[in-house]
Amino acid sequence: MLDTRQLRYFVAVADDLHFTKAADRLHVAQSSLSTQVNQLEAQLGARLLARRKRSAVSLTDAGVLFLVEARRALEQVERAEAVGRRAGRGELGHIAIGYTPSAALSGALSSVIRTYRVQNSDVALHLAEMESPEQLAAIIEGRLDVGFIRSLKDYPDGVSASVIRQERLLLALPADHHLADKGEAVEVGVLSDEILIVPQFDEYEGFLYYVAEFVAAVRPTPEHVYPVRGIPTALSLVGAGVGVALVSESWRSLAMANVVYREIVDFERIVIVVLAHRTRERAPAVLAFVETCKGLRA
């Protein structure tokens, strides 16, 4: 296999057509330069330079052809070195990102990506919407690098989480609801006669925990609880006047027709959005993304 040092030495001599001048420019001994070029010719089995007196040389036919390829090879090596250094600094690579709808609506996802891409525009970002348990499984299996999820009491082995954003919980009401007319916070105690639209999720912690706690806080126990698949469906039914629903404040940014939001008295809860990632992550691009998230905590 050819030595890049031999290629550089040969190109230098070919440029100057003089061993002494090339050695001076490379800051090496002329004898060392001559030895490397001789070894290159021996390895190729071809004479590349026609020697003359006083270190002057000329290119042979083989040397002319080889010079073109030697320059290309050195340029490719330089490009490879540059790519390696940039990848080592986290400036190149790809990141697979999972997120929940609320993380997108809260602005946490867009804020992080916008800031990250200012310094890392050449890193490819692949985004996938999925619920928290699926994200955690994908991170462990290596299908995701990071995930924006609701905070949990405990995380699987090998997964760590960094707090990104905190949000309040609000009550979504039909715009023409009598509790919405007052424009004030709503007391939990007055919701017993309401139809509570309850979003369901494939998770046992996170937002589902707050929903269960909210339903339990309504006394007397409401007679009508309407389970639905997710928050968008719940808000659609609220807008249709079917009932009321508990949502995180990020959903307020969704322009849902005929829906208003009110704070809830005696049920002040904070939900936390975290960035889940592998504890022993080694990819520089992913580590840089995690650090960007930590720096934008709100």
Side-chain angles (χ1 to χ4, degrees):
M1 182 177 293
L2 297 180
D3 187 332
T4 55
R5 180 177 59 173
Q6 292 176 340
L7 293 180
R8 283 194 292 269
Y9 283 8
F10 166 72
V11 170
V13 175
D15 286 341
D16 293 327
L17 295 178
H18 200 281
F19 273 95
T20 301
K21 292 180 180 178
D24 290 342
R25 184 156 58 87
L26 294 171
H27 304 292
V28 298
Q30 181 178 333
S31 58
S32 176
L33 178 63
S34 298
T35 298
Q36 292 297 322
V37 174
N38 289 338
Q39 289 177 354
L40 174 62
E41 291 178 319
Q43 188 172 350
L44 295 174
R47 181 59 62 89
L48 303 176
L49 299 170
R51 275 72 170 174
R52 299 176 182 175
K53 295 181 179 180
R54 297 183 179 180
S55 300
V57 297
S58 61
L59 289 170
T60 64
D61 291 343
V64 171
L65 295 175
F66 184 74
L67 178 60
V68 174
E69 299 304 324
R71 291 190 193 281
R72 290 175 179 171
L74 290 175
E75 290 172 357
Q76 183 59 48
V77 169
E78 291 176 358
R79 284 195 293 270
E81 290 177 346
V83 168
R85 292 191 185 98
R86 293 191 66 196
R89 294 193 298 265
E91 297 172 3
L92 294 175
H94 58 84
I95 306 174
I97 304 169
Y99 66 94
T100 60
S102 57
L105 285 171
S106 70
L109 181 65
S110 60
S111 178
V112 169
I113 290 177
R114 183 185 303 110
T115 301
Y116 179 76
R117 287 184 61 80
V118 170
Q119 299 296 329
N120 304 276
S121 59
D122 292 329
V123 176
L125 304 180
H126 307 282
L127 280 73
E129 179 184 323
M130 58 182 72
E131 293 185 11
S132 299
E134 186 181 356
Q135 288 189 51
L136 291 172
I139 290 172
I140 293 172
E141 296 168 5
R143 292 183 287 113
L144 283 182
D145 295 307
V146 298
F148 290 82
I149 65 173
R150 294 293 183 190
S151 64
L152 307 176
K153 294 180 180 178
D154 299 295
Y155 297 90
D157 290 341
V159 176
S160 299
S162 304
V163 175
I164 302 301
R165 190 178 295 270
Q166 298 183 0
E167 297 181 322
R168 299 172 301 164
L169 290 175
L170 302 175
L171 186 68
L173 299 160
D176 58 356
H177 196 284
H178 68 94
L179 293 176
D181 292 341
K182 299 178 181 180
E184 301 174 352
V186 176
E187 295 182 1
V188 172
V190 303
L191 298 176
S192 297
D193 296 331
E194 302 294 334
I195 296 177
L196 300 186
I197 302 172
V198 180
Q200 303 293 301
F201 301 93
D202 295 332
E203 58 185 27
Y204 299 100
E205 295 185 66
F207 190 74
L208 184 61
Y209 169 81
Y210 294 105
V211 171
E213 191 179 28
F214 174 69
V215 173
V218 178
R219 288 289 182 268
T221 302
E223 295 183 4
H224 305 288
V225 176
Y226 196 148
V228 297
R229 174 56 185 165
I231 293 179
T233 301
L235 289 175
S236 294
L237 293 178
V238 171
V242 174
V244 302
L246 182 73
V247 299
S248 58
E249 66 178 318
S250 59
W251 288 93
R252 174 183 274 173
S253 63
L254 185 65
M256 184 67 71
N258 301 318
V259 177
V260 296
Y261 302 88
R262 297 290 182 265
E263 295 183 13
I264 309 170
V265 177
D266 299 329
F267 194 77
E268 297 179 358
R269 302 291 189 276
I270 297 296
V271 294
I272 301 174
V273 178
V274 302
L275 181 80
H277 52 90
R278 282 181 288 276
T279 303
R280 297 184 178 180
E281 181 61 61
R282 294 292 180 267
V286 178
L287 292 174
F289 188 87
V290 173
E291 289 304 312
T292 297
C293 291
K294 291 179 179 180
L296 294 179
R297 174 178 175 176

